[in-house]
Amino acid sequence: MITTSFIYVTALLVIAAMLKVLENTTRWRLFEYLPAIVSLYFVVMLCSTFGVWEKTEEINNAYKMLRNNLLPAMIFLMLLDADLRQIKQLGGRMLLAFFIAAVSIGIAFVVAFALFQSYLQPEAWKTLAALSGSWMGGTGNMVAVQLALDVPDASMGYTLLIDSIDYAMWVMFLLALVPHAKRFNRWVKADSQILEKIGANIELEDEQRPVNVGGLLILLASALLMSALAQSAALNLPTSSYFTPTAWTVLIVTLAGVIGALTPLGKIAGASQLSMLMLYLIIALIASRANFAELTQAPIYIILGLVILAIHALIMVLMAKWLKLDLFTCGVASLANIGGVASAPILAASYSKALIPVGVLMAMLGYIIGTGGGLLVGKMLSFIAS
């Protein structure tokens, strides 16, 4: 059993490296459905379940330190390749998809609660209302709804379990769908030429810029410095249950990355490679805290969460077919609500690095509507419960 932070991080990197090598060197059809980055989540989660590492204080501290510091650095690096002029071509369909996703999540909570009410505790509607705030915005919104409805912390256990387990499954599912984007877009008759053009332009620019050690050092130093400065500044800015220090940090590095892309820093090759390395480590870190054994602790609540996601997915697919929305638009709109700023940019990056700002901006919208949406869902759930 691993008990030290250095071996813990090394193990995560070894697993990531082995999966990526297998994906690049073999022709296993598995990787067509579960790309290395998705397989990484599953394999690391499996290792966590079998207790390959112990959650010692040293490992817990390493997890928090790396996740909290690398996420802003990764977003900054990814945004250095962003071209806002290309993003403008996406138009208002992204906003439309975001609000469709938010409304469908609200509907899904109401329908699922009506189906499962007899199996739940009497006050379960309050904790589910708090969860709906999180799945329309973020953790800050969940806390705000919890406070507004006077939900005790002790009652939030099952809600947090749904938020972690079902959310993890949803992220893995959306990442696994990325290779099938063209097939989905053909089925809904979506025009994906703009997305493909943006992705092709970014890849062409990367090929034309050679990577060198000096440039990598500059980029790495800049990203880590920006992460440190953003987190320091966030602690000194006004916060609330709506806008947390994490939200400030993401906003600051987003602005810094967009501005940096317009400077000579944005011309240095290697930002995409460094950001992808960080992405693999962040995915592994998140998966290392999950545990398949937790699925047996509250099966009704886990199933309830899956039903909510299934209803949400069904509505999104129907709307995509009607409005001819591509898979990227639907996926990022969904994860911007359910996952927020920590995961929407990751999914966006799996399509094209140029689309990172779209994921960030859509996730930030969630903070605006999350609390109001959660309270509205809570009102409807209370009506059903009474």
Side-chain angles (χ1 to χ4, degrees):
M1 181 182 293
I2 296 172
T3 58
T4 61
S5 58
F6 179 75
I7 300 178
Y8 161 69
V9 175
T10 301
L12 296 181
L13 290 173
V14 167
I15 294 171
M18 289 175 62
L19 289 171
K20 191 61 181 174
V21 169
L22 286 173
E23 183 183 45
N24 292 339
T25 59
T26 68
R27 295 185 177 180
W28 292 354
R29 295 200 64 184
L30 169 69
F31 292 114
E32 294 180 14
Y33 303 96
L34 294 175
I37 198 165
V38 180
S39 301
L40 174 64
Y41 204 111
F42 177 80
V43 172
V44 173
M45 190 173 176
L46 202 61
C47 291
S48 176
T49 302
F50 284 102
V52 175
W53 44 78
E54 184 180 344
K55 293 180 181 178
T56 62
E57 184 177 355
E58 181 181 346
I59 286 179
N60 289 339
N61 290 337
Y63 163 78
K64 292 176 184 177
M65 184 271 293
L66 287 171
R67 185 201 60 183
N68 294 343
N69 291 311
L70 286 183
L71 182 61
M74 182 197 72
I75 292 175
F76 175 76
L77 285 172
M78 286 180 168
L79 287 171
L80 288 181
D81 282 331
D83 188 338
L84 294 180
R85 290 168 298 183
Q86 296 186 57
I87 295 170
K88 285 179 62 179
Q89 299 178 42
L90 294 173
R93 294 173 70 81
M94 294 299 303
L95 285 176
L96 175 62
F98 173 83
F99 287 109
I100 289 174
V103 171
S104 67
I105 290 169
I107 293 172
F109 268 91
V110 173
V111 174
F113 179 73
L115 294 173
F116 283 78
Q117 182 188 0
S118 59
Y119 301 100
L120 306 176
Q121 298 173 351
E123 296 293 301
W125 71 268
K126 292 185 178 181
T127 59
L128 289 175
L131 177 63
S132 70
S134 175
W135 280 11
M136 289 183 185
T139 304
N141 302 99
M142 180 173 69
V143 174
V145 175
Q146 179 188 355
L147 292 174
L149 297 178
D150 194 24
V151 184
D153 290 336
S155 301
M156 294 294 290
Y158 289 143
T159 301
L160 295 173
L161 193 63
I162 297 174
D163 196 23
S164 59
I165 296 296
D166 292 325
Y167 157 68
M169 291 181 177
W170 189 240
V171 173
M172 190 163 60
F173 174 70
L174 291 178
L175 287 171
L177 286 179
V178 173
H180 308 288
K182 290 184 179 180
R183 188 181 306 171
F184 179 88
N185 295 342
R186 284 197 300 269
W187 178 67
V188 300
K189 298 180 180 178
D191 183 7
S192 60
Q193 291 183 354
I194 295 177
L195 284 174
E196 293 171 2
K197 181 180 177 181
I198 290 173
N201 289 342
I202 293 299
E203 291 178 7
L204 182 61
E205 290 175 5
D206 285 346
E207 292 174 359
Q208 294 174 345
R209 294 183 298 172
V211 178
N212 60 73
V213 175
L216 289 175
L217 285 172
I218 292 173
L219 290 171
L220 181 59
S222 301
L224 295 179
L225 177 61
M226 185 52 60
S227 175
L229 292 175
Q231 291 179 76
S232 178
L235 294 175
N236 297 302
L237 291 170
T239 59
S240 67
S241 56
Y242 299 93
F243 218 81
T244 63
T246 301
W248 274 119
T249 300
V250 171
L251 180 59
I252 292 170
V253 295
T254 298
L255 293 174
V258 171
I259 295 172
L262 303 175
T263 69
L265 188 63
K267 305 297 181 182
I268 300 176
S272 59
Q273 289 85 347
L274 280 176
S275 62
M276 285 306 294
L277 285 174
M278 293 180 181
L279 174 59
Y280 270 83
L281 181 53
I282 290 171
I283 290 291
L285 286 167
I286 295 173
S288 72
R289 315 302 289 181
N291 193 322
F292 284 113
E294 292 177 350
L295 295 173
T296 63
Q297 294 181 14
I300 290 297
Y301 285 86
I302 299 300
I303 294 171
L304 171 61
L306 293 176
V307 169
I308 292 171
L309 291 174
I311 295 171
H312 160 62
L314 177 61
I315 295 173
M316 289 298 294
V317 169
L318 292 175
M319 295 303 293
K321 183 68 173 176
W322 179 38
L323 299 173
K324 299 180 180 179
L325 299 174
D326 60 87
L327 186 60
F328 164 80
T329 301
C330 295
V332 173
S334 172
L335 206 52
N337 280 278
I338 295 173
V341 294
S343 52
I346 293 174
L347 181 63
S350 65
Y351 286 90
S352 171
K353 294 182 292 296
L355 303 174
I356 299 297
V358 176
V360 173
L361 292 173
M362 290 180 71
M364 299 303 288
L365 279 176
Y367 284 112
I368 298 174
I369 71 166
T371 302
L375 291 173
L376 180 60
V377 169
K379 188 70 175 177
M380 290 186 279
L381 297 185
S382 68
F383 178 77
I384 296 173
S386 62

